[in-house]
Amino acid sequence: MSPVAMGGPALFIGTDEVYVALVRPELDPADPGVRLAAEQAGVTPEEFAGPGNVWALMLDQDGEGDGFELPGARDIEADDFAEQLQRDLVAGEPFTAEAGNFLRLEARPTPTTWQLTAHVTPPEGHAAGPWTLDLGTLPTADLLADLEDFRRSLA
C-alpha cells in the first residue's frame, strides 16, 4: 500500500520504487516534532498543523521524488477520482482516468492485474516535470482494496 505514512487520506498507486500518491497530509499538534517546529516558528502547535485540508500529489521514481500542492482540490474530487478508478477496474477494459489536469492514469488489464502508467503535470510555476511513470503491473484485488480504504478514509 503506502511507502510513506501521511497521517491523512492517501491513495498510493504503484510500488515502493515508483508511485504516485494523492494525499491530504494531517499534522498532529501533539507530535513532538510538530510542537518543536511550532515553537521555533513562534506559533501554537494547532496553528502550525493547520486545518489539514490541502491536497498534494507526490511521486517517486527510483529515489527521485517530487511533489506539489493542489490548490483548490477538495475531498469530493479525490473521492470522484477513486470512484472512477473503481468502476473502470471492475469493467475490465483498458481506460484512462484523470484527476484534474495534473494526473492522468492509463490502464491496461491482464486477467488478474493492471499495467498502469501515470502522466503527471505540475501546476504552472513548478520547476520540474512533466513526468511519465511506469507504475508497474499491480494486482486488481490490491488496487480495489486500496481504493476502498481511501474512499472510506474520506467519509
Side-chain angles (χ1 to χ4, degrees):
M1 164 99 168
S2 114
V4 179
M6 295 307 300
L11 176 61
F12 287 84
I13 303 172
T15 66
D16 288 344
E17 292 80 34
V18 59
Y19 64 84
V20 293
L22 185 59
V23 299
R24 182 171 47 91
E26 291 179 3
L27 298 177
D28 179 2
D31 180 275
V34 171
R35 295 181 76 70
L36 177 61
E39 182 180 320
Q40 291 172 346
V43 298
T44 68
E46 292 75 19
E47 287 175 300
F48 188 82
N53 62 357
V54 177
W55 283 93
L57 184 76
M58 298 171 43
L59 60 104
D60 195 320
Q61 183 171 17
D62 300 322
E64 297 293 321
D66 203 347
F68 48 88
E69 286 187 9
L70 302 170
R74 301 172 302 157
D75 288 5
I76 188 71
E77 293 152 340
D79 187 52
D80 287 347
F81 178 66
E83 182 181 26
Q84 176 189 1
L85 287 176
Q86 282 178 312
R87 272 193 322 267
D88 290 342
L89 288 168
V90 170
E93 299 293 327
F95 68 88
T96 299
E98 294 185 1
N101 58 359
F102 55 87
L103 174 61
R104 187 177 83 244
L105 287 178
E106 294 177 359
R108 295 171 305 285
T110 68
T112 60
T113 63
W114 287 85
Q115 176 65 43
L116 298 172
T117 303
H119 302 276
V120 178
T121 304
E124 191 172 311
H126 191 75
W131 298 272
T132 298
L133 303 151
D134 177 5
L135 302 177
T137 303
L138 305 172
T140 304
D142 291 352
L143 287 167
L144 289 170
D146 289 349
L147 287 164
E148 186 59 35
D149 289 346
F150 176 68
R151 293 190 70 208
R152 207 174 7 260
S153 74
L154 292 171

